[in-house]
Amino acid sequence: KAKEEGRDQFCFYEAHLTEKAREKLFLETELRAAIKQGGLSINFQPQFDLANGRLVGSEVLARWRHPDRGMIEPTKFIAIAEESGLIVPLGEWVLREACIQAELWRRAGLGPHRIAVNVSGLQLERDDFVAAVARILAETGLPSDWLELEVTETYMMRQPEKSVRVLEGLRGLGLALALDDFGTGQSSLSYLKRLPVQTLKIDRSFITDLPFGENEVAITRAIVALGHSLRLQVLAEGVETPAQADFLRGLGCDRGQGYLYSRPVDAATFENILRKTTVYPSGADDTPSAPL
Ligand code: C2E
Ligand code: MG
Ligand code: MG
Ligand code: MG
């Protein structure tokens, strides 16, 4: 009887859901199924050394093609995954898939090249996260120095003490860490000094207005100087024009990623990029590189 009532109440509630809430619930249900049933895929976006144009890594980005609705915007489904907790299984699936693929490339002699996988704060908060990463590395065989994890400031600032410990645990596995979307959060400089990350990724919002936006120029210059004074690498995301690349190179920014070089592409397409850019022992000098 009580169960029956509960169900009625639920139906009553559902009938009064707004269109927007109904849509969210629909996508959440569909996303849960997609994670379980192989409905997701990953893309790779190359990252280049700005000084010599060599490919040094790639960012792994989740993609979801819904059978009826087509491609769903990552910002949209990642937000739904964060709100529902689905980001934990989604993130683990992406990490495993990326490691499997990178290990295939490594065995084929393509590289060396590091894959950068985005990690949500909800994943980092789980007590078993470091162990889960260790297990995926062990199962896939990918050496840990082929992996970089991208974390964001927001989570770091919410739980400063705990997050430093988790990041140190990850570092202990031998992988690299990058602070994503840097400049948009609110990390204090003293805190940044304590974070065991090796790379700052300057948020795309600053890069877009280079080299003409006065404030963006000042901020980007400051981030590169700050990063280097802390002995960190600095990567600019969202590089779209040669003028932006030139400007960033002039500042000594270490790495670049963006539509100028390549959009995120599927594994087969990325493999072609890897084949063209792999430095073979015999022909190191005529290795093709990014259009700088
Ligand atoms: P992000 O980690 O900052 O990733 C960079 C985003 O910028 C990607 O968007 C990429 O396609 C886009 N981008 C790269 N270069 C350019 C450029 O030159 N111009 C422009 N306009 N955009 C550029 P995407 O793939 O739509 O992903 C959006 C966000 O979704 C990511 O931002 C990340 O926060 C999140 N995301 C994607 N995949 C995952 C994942 O597997 N796990 C988690 N936790 N988050 C993910
Ligand atoms: Mg990222
Ligand atoms: Mg980013
Ligand atoms: Mg971003």
Side-chain angles (χ1 to χ4, degrees), residues 24-44:
K24 236 173 72 181
L25 192 60
F26 170 77
L27 286 177
E28 186 186 317
T29 309
E30 296 287 287
L31 181 58
R32 179 170 289 119
I35 295 168
K36 278 209 191 106
Q37 296 157 13
L40 300 182
S41 62
I42 49 175
N43 272 357
F44 298 81

Side-chain angles (χ1 to χ4, degrees), residues 94-106:
V94 168
L95 179 61
R96 175 173 287 107
E97 197 67 14
C99 289
I100 290 171
Q101 184 57 70
E103 175 63 4
L104 286 173
W105 286 328
R106 192 183 72 85

Side-chain angles (χ1 to χ4, degrees), residues 207-267:
I207 308 304
T208 308
D209 290 320
L210 297 181
F212 306 113
E214 264 178 60
N215 293 334
E216 289 75 10
V217 164
I219 291 169
T220 303
R221 196 189 299 278
I223 293 177
V224 173
L226 169 73
H228 287 167
S229 70
L230 293 173
R231 293 174 216 270
L232 302 176
Q233 293 256 315
V234 182
L235 183 152
E237 67 178 10
V239 180
E240 294 186 351
T241 69
Q244 289 166 350
D246 284 342
F247 181 79
L248 289 159
R249 199 175 315 108
L251 289 184
C253 184
D254 305 280
R255 284 182 277 157
Q257 169 188 348
Y259 293 174
L260 171 64
Y261 310 111
S262 168
R263 295 195 171 238
V265 294
D266 63 23

Side-chain angles (χ1 to χ4, degrees), residues 118-163:
N118 290 285
V119 166
S120 154
L122 285 179
Q123 290 174 273
L124 291 167
E125 268 169 23
R126 299 191 44 118
D127 292 334
D128 60 352
F129 184 66
V130 177
V133 174
R135 181 164 37 81
I136 289 171
L137 285 169
E139 284 170 9
T140 60
L142 186 72
S144 59
D145 60 352
W146 278 58
L147 178 64
E148 179 172 73
L149 296 181
E150 295 191 3
V151 301
T152 58
E153 289 170 276
T154 333
Y155 159 75
M156 298 300 137
M157 290 319 290
R158 254 198 340 252
Q159 301 212 340
E161 300 306 324
K162 188 177 175 197
S163 53

